[in-house]
Amino acid sequence: MKKLLTFGLVTCCLIGVDARAQSGAPAADIAAGQQRAAACFACHNANGIAQIPGTPHLAGQERGYLEKALRAYRDGSTRQEPTMNAMAKPLSDQDIANIAAYFSSLPR
Amino acid sequence: MDLLGMYPTFYVPAIGTAWVMGIIGVIHVVASHTSVGASFLFALLETKAYRDGTPEIMGFIKKYGMFLLVFSYVIGSVTGPGIWYAITVASPRGVGGLIHNFVWVWAAEWVYFTVEVIGVYALVYLIGKVDAKTHLKLTWSFALASWATMLLIVGILSFMMWPGSENWYQTGSTNDAFYNLNFFAHLATRTGSMFVMAAVVGLMVASRVRDPVLRRSVVRFIAPIGLVGGLFAVMMFIYYLQTLPNNAVVMLNTYLLPVYARAMVAVFVVATAWLVFAWWQPQRVYTPLAVALFLFIAVAGVWPEERMRESMRKPYVAGQYIYGNQIIARNVPGKGIRSEMEQIAAAGLLQLHPFVPKPLRTVTADNRLATGRLLTQIACANCHALERGAPLRSLPDKLHGATDEDLIAAFLQGPLKHGTQPYMPRIDLPAPEIDAIAHFIAAVNRGEDVTAQPTPSTATAAASQPE
């Protein structure tokens, strides 16, 4: 039973990695994301657990969702929110991938 | 050119003018609460002595009164004006705003203070020289005058937190400002605490009383007063927490309680244990022990309480209309005060602040670091130290050591401009000033020398221009 479980987990991980590799997204650099995100920590905190009411926790958040949200904030057409529109504006595609990777890597 | 009514302020590295004021203020509060609390202890003790016919208690009152005269009144009288000097260079406009509201309240406070100071001299030196009933009346007058000084200053201090309703903004009335939402809770908390302070200091004095019977009767009298005062203070503090504005509640839960909750509980437990012990074993109230516990309760009890109250009202310095950085944040029709936010957003601080050196009036490629430093000092340094690792809410640390200028600027244009963090002021500045601030903060976080002056050519050119 234990072996089967391990096999299942490994398979899932491999498929997950494979799916990421095929999606064509830039390879993410968690350390670079952490450095670039320093100003984000003022609200979202370095551990991704926000302390300010109304500010979401980002620790362990779904990586694809974070990327999508940051792109939408940067474009400012579908997600209009003055705080996040301003924050996302200077970010490159690579920055977005890195920052999303950083926050999603944090334990919830 | 239109200028705003802003004043020059001091910048104290690492601890800021805030802690300079805080340190003086804590010493003042320890001294003044002890005096006010002691005045009531005297009145109650003397009433007991008068009724029971035990004049030897007057010996203790004389001893304690002399101690107060030498320590409490001298220290209180030096630190009181010290607070005035400190706030004048820390928050000149905030003080101005308070004076325009409370000038007669302060005048009244000083009248009572004069009565209090004359009262303590009269009380000590007239023991045995006037009849007991006259002296008792004198002591009660002294106690009421002492408490009146506290009542009046608490109205002003609690207005600094907020008026609690729209009334004051519309009427500008001193009564609306003074009887604000958290006035009674604040007054009651301090009234309870003053009995604790007085009891703790009283034990210190009682430890010097040689006659065991007198010591026992005095200790057994003041310890329960301290205990009841402490319990009352805690209950009123919980009530006080319910009278706070939202920005204070967020600040409290996010930053202050995690740091200070333990110290506050520790002080309550230690003070209670000490007073119970003193009541139980009056002969074991030794002087070194009494002094050590006084110092612990004074420092660990008063510092967190004062620091919390000062921190919680951020971003405002007074009445939720004037920010710590002197900027008027909203209209107050009752006082004819107009918000300066729009004007600053359009023209910038460098153009509108009267005390900006001429070469720094406009941000240029050469003076970005110097203008950034000056702007950060004007806009941020009332609450934030500008050095990494500094104890007063270090600004570089609050931005988690960010070195990317574009993202620091984005933070200023986003969260700060739109007031996302309830305890931060809205700071809306023109783009060149935002970039200069971001440039400065990034340079600090990169560990660069940020004290560089603008290049001589720029300075000379600007200085040679006609005024």
Side-chain angles (χ1 to χ4, degrees):
Chain A
M1 180 62 194
K2 208 175 170 187
K3 267 186 180 171
L4 190 68
L5 207 66
T6 316
F7 175 76
L9 276 174
V10 168
T11 318
C12 286
C13 290
L14 285 175
I15 292 170
V17 168
D18 193 39
R20 169 69 53 192
Q22 284 176 355
S23 73
D29 180 344
I30 292 181
Q34 182 178 9
Q35 210 201 343
R36 192 87 172 111
C40 312
F41 301 160
C43 296
H44 294 286
N45 225 353
N47 64 3
I49 308 291
Q51 288 177 306
I52 306 164
T55 305
H57 307 316
L58 300 181
Q61 182 55 272
E62 173 62 28
R63 183 170 150 184
Y65 167 76
L66 285 176
E67 288 186 12
K68 202 174 125 190
L70 277 174
R71 280 208 197 84
Y73 281 131
R74 183 179 62 184
D75 301 341
S77 50
T78 51
R79 292 191 81 159
Q80 291 174 344
E81 205 282 316
T83 300
M84 281 310 297
N85 290 149
M87 288 304 294
K89 210 169 154 193
L91 299 178
S92 67
D93 283 347
Q94 184 66 55
D95 290 335
I96 287 178
N98 294 348
I99 291 172
Y102 171 70
F103 279 116
S104 66
S105 75
L106 296 170
R108 253 187 261 226
Chain B
M1 180 169 54
D2 276 348
L3 294 172
L4 298 176
M6 298 173 90
Y7 296 88
T9 47
F10 278 25
Y11 176 69
V12 179
I15 59 170
T17 48
W19 276 30
V20 174
M21 156 63 213
I23 291 163
I24 301 172
V26 164
I27 299 169
H28 183 78
V29 167
V30 171
S32 61
H33 280 28
T34 304
S35 317
V36 180
S39 71
F40 277 88
L41 278 188
F42 291 173
L44 294 168
L45 267 169
E46 196 171 335
T47 308
K48 176 183 152 73
Y50 182 77
R51 284 193 185 145
D52 303 353
T54 48
E56 60 274 13
I57 282 183
M58 298 309 286
F60 172 78
I61 292 181
K62 188 161 190 172
K63 206 170 194 139
Y64 194 164
M66 200 59 115
F67 176 84
L68 277 190
L69 250 180
V70 174
F71 289 97
S72 215
Y73 278 86
V74 170
I75 291 172
S77 306
V78 169
T79 50
I83 291 177
W84 278 100
Y85 285 116
I87 56 181
T88 305
V89 295
S91 292
R93 234 181 166 193
V95 180
L98 291 176
I99 291 173
H100 281 289
N101 260 299
F102 294 115
V103 63
W104 295 113
V105 176
W106 255 312
E109 192 220 341
W110 289 338
V111 170
Y112 281 113
F113 178 65
T114 310
V115 173
E116 185 189 349
V117 173
I118 295 168
V120 73
Y121 277 89
L123 179 143
V124 170
Y125 288 108
L126 291 179
I127 289 177
K129 297 200 176 82
V130 293
D131 66 289
K133 191 159 190 188
T134 307
H135 196 277
L136 182 61
K137 283 180 186 167
L138 174 74
T139 306
W140 273 105
S141 316
F142 163 62
L144 291 175
S146 301
W147 190 65
T149 62
M150 190 172 82
L151 180 145
L152 291 168
I153 198 68
V154 162
I156 299 170
L157 291 180
S158 50
F159 170 79
M160 289 174 77
M161 181 69 76
W162 70 324
S165 77
E166 270 298 300
N167 292 353
W168 175 77
Y169 300 103
Q170 302 306 325
T171 63
S173 140
T174 302
N175 274 341
D176 286 333
F178 189 85
Y179 297 105
N180 54 73
L181 185 62
N182 67 8
F183 167 68
F184 288 104
H186 192 173
L187 180 64
T189 309
R190 283 192 191 269
T191 302
S193 325
M194 87 194 184
F195 282 113
V196 181
M197 273 331 285
V200 171
V201 174
L203 290 183
M204 219 156 62
V205 179
S207 72
R208 307 299 294 168
V209 173
R210 296 227 175 79
D211 174 13
V213 181
L214 177 61
R215 187 200 279 209
R216 185 186 173 86
S217 84
V218 166
V219 168
R220 290 229 156 157
F221 185 78
I222 60 182
I225 293 177
L227 283 169
V228 172
L231 187 66
F232 183 69
V234 169
M235 281 163 45
M236 290 299 117
F237 183 69
I238 293 166
Y239 165 32
Y240 176 74
L241 294 179
Q242 308 306 311
T243 63
L244 296 173
N246 178 49
N247 56 311
V249 174
V250 172
M251 181 67 130
L252 188 74
N253 292 333
T254 310
Y255 293 107
L256 298 173
L257 283 183
V259 180
Y260 291 120
R262 274 190 199 166
M264 294 175 84
V265 172
V267 165
F268 178 71
V269 170
V270 169
T272 308
W274 170 230
L275 291 169
V276 169
F277 172 81
W279 186 86
W280 178 46
Q281 296 278 358
Q283 303 313 326
R284 292 204 181 173
V285 177
Y286 303 115
T287 309
L289 183 65
V291 171
L293 278 152
F294 161 71
L295 288 176
F296 173 75
I297 292 165
V299 175
V302 176
W303 173 257
E305 180 274 323
E306 294 297 314
R307 173 111 211 269
M308 277 175 60
R309 189 179 51 74
E310 290 285 313
S311 299
M312 278 192 299
R313 65 175 154 69
K314 302 291 186 278
Y316 303 97
V317 66
Q320 290 212 321
Y321 77 98
I322 176 162
Y323 283 145
N325 60 15
Q326 308 196 45
I327 295 170
I328 306 282
R330 62 164 286 172
N331 293 333
V332 184
K335 287 273 178 200
I337 294 170
R338 297 179 63 85
S339 165
E340 295 163 352
M341 302 292 286
E342 293 72 21
Q343 220 180 327
I344 291 171
L349 278 171
L350 294 176
Q351 292 293 320
L352 295 171
H353 195 303
F355 293 92
V356 171
K358 210 151 197 247
L360 304 183
R361 281 274 178 216
T362 317
V363 181
T364 65
D366 292 334
N367 72 8
R368 274 211 312 159
L369 192 63
T371 45
R373 178 155 152 261
L374 180 66
L375 281 165
T376 314
Q377 284 177 347
I378 294 171
C380 317
N382 188 262
C383 307
H384 295 284
L386 306 184
E387 298 80 26
R388 290 189 294 174
L392 180 75
R393 308 183 197 93
S394 159
L395 186 64
D397 295 356
K398 288 284 175 193
L399 284 160
H400 295 261
T403 51
D404 295 339
E405 287 181 37
D406 56 349
L407 275 176
I408 300 173
F411 178 78
L412 292 164
Q413 278 154 349
L416 214 48
K417 178 176 168 178
H418 297 285
T420 308
Q421 293 167 322
Y423 44 78
M424 287 292 291
R426 281 183 54 232
I427 296 179
D428 190 358
L429 296 172
E433 296 196 352
I434 284 181
D435 289 340
I437 292 176
H439 180 68
F440 168 77
I441 296 173
V444 172
N445 278 335
R446 281 193 298 264
E448 290 168 13
D449 175 23
V450 290
T451 52
Q453 297 298 313
T455 53
S457 62
T458 329
T460 339
S464 62
Q465 279 170 10
E467 288 293 314

